[in-house]
Amino acid sequence: MIASHSQFASLPHPLPPPPPRLLNQPSFRPRATLLSRVFRVPTGRCHRQRHPWGGGTVRALDAAQAFDYESRASEELEQRARLKIAIVGFGNFGQFLARTFAAQGHAILAYSRSDHSAAAGSLGAAFFRDPHDLCEQHPDVVLLCTSILSAEAVLRSLPFQRLRRSTLFVDVLSVKEFPKNLLLHILPPDFDILCTHPMFGPESGKHGWAGLPFVYDKVRIGDSEDRVDRCRRFLDIFAREGCRMVEMSCAEHDENAAEIQFLTHTVGRILAKLDLKSTPINTKGYETLLKLVENTCSDSFDLYNGLFMYNKNSTELLERLELAFDSLKKELFGRLHDILRKQLFESPNGSSAPVAKDN
Ligand code: NAP
């Protein structure tokens, strides 16, 4: 096949405008690499064509040349690795994840109750107000990223019949047994299910995800090669960012998360009620407490409430916390009473005769 200058000129506009914020991210690799490969030719007269994103110039040549099979193959490979991900619930966490998905070159479709079209647009993502329109786009992955409390209603409102039968459903809810049972119960049996919990958020993950834990449970993944590969490609998004990948059952996650997560959030929220202030003599420990309040209270109360309502281990944890607090108080007051009793009942010379009182 011979490529000519006129053919280049008539190429359809291959790239959407770049989201400006993405260009500043180190991991963002615009598909300009693909484009420049398409235009890469070894010899002949050179024409300059402006890059569609307005960046540099792309060189194209008039001369006859061999078809670049290697480039085409690697393009196809990149296309195959690219996932079309529909994010259902495009709030705080949905947008946070979308930034990295987009930076890795995945196509994002966003859907939410509120209008987040501006945020979606800034990531080069399409925003949908109607779930039918969203599902008709046939995403590879539907990512449930709505609040724990609204998850069931949101899931039931999706028109599954408009999706491809093999669609992969992933959830990122901070509790795991509840969405697992919900997805198994509500989704048609052909759909794949991957339950995950990125154990970080917009605050703790703002400087990157390296070393942060990502928990997942492959609840139902069909054994055909393409389904296994699609699941792997989704997990690979997090692995590529350096997350610590932890495969764990949903039940085990919830047992651990009650202590790790619910306890942390509860302590942060109790401290917030004290309205702690920064002082000129803050210690390191106190700074940690202030940071904890900031980290936990930047999440919505719905999220915290969901951790309590939908993790059966949380109730027990709250009771243990109360008992621990009571026992600590008893210990302190017990010592105080001992001292007071001594002062009240022991004479100054050490005998146990009661000290006479005026009244
Ligand atoms: P969130 O308060 O738990 O959820 C906010 C999202 O839920 C928004 O997209 C919101 O939609 C949607 N929503 C809330 N009530 C709704 C309703 N009645 N009907 C339809 N949609 C509703 O805050 P989040 O931080 O964004 O968390 C989202 C999910 O990610 C949660 O399941 C959470 O457990 C999980 N997660 C969060 C973090 C984190 O650090 N934040 C970390 C790991 C996992 P609109 O914005 O359109 O109103």
Side-chain angles (χ1 to χ4, degrees), residues 89 91 93 112-114 116 145-147 150 172 174 198 200-201 299-300:
F93 196 59
S112 221
R113 173 184 60 168
S114 317
H116 293 298
C145 199
T146 190
S147 70
S150 65
V172 289
S174 307
F200 50 89
D299 284 329
S300 70

Side-chain angles (χ1 to χ4, degrees), residues 250-266:
C250 291
E252 203 183 338
H253 165 278
D254 282 3
E255 270 173 43
N256 289 312
E259 293 209 343
I260 297 167
Q261 200 182 20
F262 181 65
L263 179 64
T264 310
H265 279 253
T266 301

Side-chain angles (χ1 to χ4, degrees), residues 95-114:
Q95 291 174 32
F96 168 70
L97 291 178
R99 283 194 279 278
T100 298
F101 295 172
Q104 287 194 15
H106 299 287
I108 312 297
L109 314 171
Y111 165 70
S112 221
R113 173 184 60 168
S114 317

